[in-house]
Each structure stands twice: as C-alpha cells, then as structure tokens.
Amino acid sequence: VDDEKLLKGAINGMLASLDPHSSYLDGSGLQRLETMIDGNYSGLGLSVQMDDGGVKVISPFRGSPAEKAGLKAGDYITHLDGVLYFERDLDEAVEKMRGPAGTNIRLTVFRPGRDEPFDVTVTRGVIELEPVTWKLTDAVGVISVNEFSRDVGRDVAGAVQDLRKQAAAQGGLKGLVLDLRSNPGGSLDEAV
C-alpha cells in the first residue's frame, strides 16, 4: 500500500509539472494516439477527450464523416445510439464510435450556445488521414498540418519543395503560411 501511495504521488507530481498541452497516457490512451498517428481505421474521424465527465470533441478530422455531418470542436457528445455516455470510460465511447465503414451511429450533441441538444446520424467511413495538405494562391503557399501523425515533418518539407516548384513561374514564393488550426495533436517528435 505504501509503495502504491508513493507511485501515485510521484505520478501526480510529474503531471503537475507538465504544460497544459501535455498529458499522461495509460495503455489504452497510448493505443488511441498510435491509431491516430498511423492514420488508418474505420469510424467517424473525431479526436475526443473526457471533459467534466462528458465526451468533448477536440476536432473532427478534415474530410471525415464527422466533419461532413457538421460536428465541431467544442461539441459534447452526450449519447451514442440513445445511450448516455457521461462519467464513463472514454475508451468505451471511442470503441462504440468506431465500427465497419458504411454503418450508422446516432449521436446526441450538446453545443455550447444552443439551448437544446440535437441528434446527428453519422455514417462511419474508412479514415485515411491527410496529415499535410497544401495549395498555392498568388505565389503564397499555405501548408495545413491536420494532425501530427507519422512522417509529418517529411511531408511538410515535401510540400515546401512542391510549392517552390509551382511558384517558380510566378517569380518564386512570396510567402508561406503554416496552418495548425484545429490540430488535435499527435506525435511530439513530428510536431518538433
């Protein structure tokens, strides 16, 4: 018992020293992160976390079934197929949201600023994340990093090279924007 108390105290001390963007991951949390980093699974395409006992949407992935259904960062998913998911295990909710592509799930969503929750039916799909997308507009390159998944650093370098080639006919790149909005996180090494 004393050893367990010491271990819990050490973990709590370590967590207190982290910045607000870092967190401790247990085995199942690490497995969820690795699935996102690998970028292939069937489901809704959502990054979620527990917040005050509820399932909070961090971000829908771009082009995902969840984004197409209108889910937004900051939404709370209160029910899955009519079953209340409050103060329950996050892994249980994530497992319920994943499933074979082409199958439906009904989400009840509370959106801050709206008086009443609403239902959304989402058709699960194969989630093939595009971690890096880019475009050139008027010799200004915009690179969007949609999540810090595997090889993102290499992909961003490739995007810069491609944008330079595209902009050569316009006298070269006049500017470069790195868009990190709505990024749910991922691998620290890739973020660096």
Side-chain angles (χ1 to χ4, degrees), residues 27-50:
S28 56
L30 179 61
Q31 197 169 35
R32 277 197 316 275
L33 177 63
E34 286 176 343
T35 297
M36 184 186 83
I37 289 171
D38 289 339
N40 288 305
Y41 65 93
S42 292
L44 306 182
L46 276 175
S47 176
V48 294
Q49 70 179 21
M50 291 304 288

Side-chain angles (χ1 to χ4, degrees), residues 39-182:
N40 288 305
Y41 65 93
S42 292
L44 306 182
L46 276 175
S47 176
V48 294
Q49 70 179 21
M50 291 304 288
D51 185 3
D52 288 333
V55 179
K56 183 179 183 181
V57 176
I58 303 291
S59 175
F61 297 127
R62 289 178 188 164
S64 68
E67 185 188 54
K68 290 173 185 170
L71 289 167
K72 297 181 177 181
D75 285 347
Y76 285 85
I77 299 170
T78 61
H79 295 73
L80 301 171
D81 281 334
V83 177
L84 177 65
Y85 273 78
F86 184 74
E87 293 188 349
R88 292 173 72 165
D89 187 50
L90 180 62
D91 292 321
E92 191 180 346
V94 168
E95 196 62 35
K96 177 79 174 160
M97 287 187 274
R98 290 197 178 143
T103 59
N104 292 336
I105 184 168
R106 181 171 43 92
L107 310 178
T108 303
V109 177
F110 170 75
R111 180 168 291 161
R114 287 184 64 160
D115 292 336
E116 297 292 327
F118 57 95
D119 285 350
V120 177
T121 298
V122 186
T123 303
R124 296 177 181 96
V126 175
I127 308 302
E128 294 180 10
L129 301 175
E130 286 188 277
V132 179
T133 55
W134 63 95
K135 66 180 179 180
L136 183 69
T137 306
D138 297 327
V140 175
V142 178
I143 300 174
S144 297
V145 180
N146 303 319
E147 64 275 326
F148 295 117
S149 58
R150 200 171 310 286
D151 299 325
V152 158
R154 185 189 66 199
D155 292 348
V156 167
V160 171
Q161 284 184 332
D162 184 62
L163 287 166
R164 283 187 173 140
K165 285 179 190 172
Q166 290 183 48
Q170 301 174 35
L173 275 178
K174 292 180 183 169
L176 190 60
V177 176
L178 187 61
D179 184 356
L180 303 177
R181 292 174 298 172
S182 300

Side-chain angles (χ1 to χ4, degrees), residues 12-35:
N12 286 335
M14 179 186 73
L15 293 177
S17 68
L18 295 176
D19 65 64
H21 306 291
S22 300
S23 60
Y24 171 77
L25 296 175
D26 60 12
S28 56
L30 179 61
Q31 197 169 35
R32 277 197 316 275
L33 177 63
E34 286 176 343
T35 297

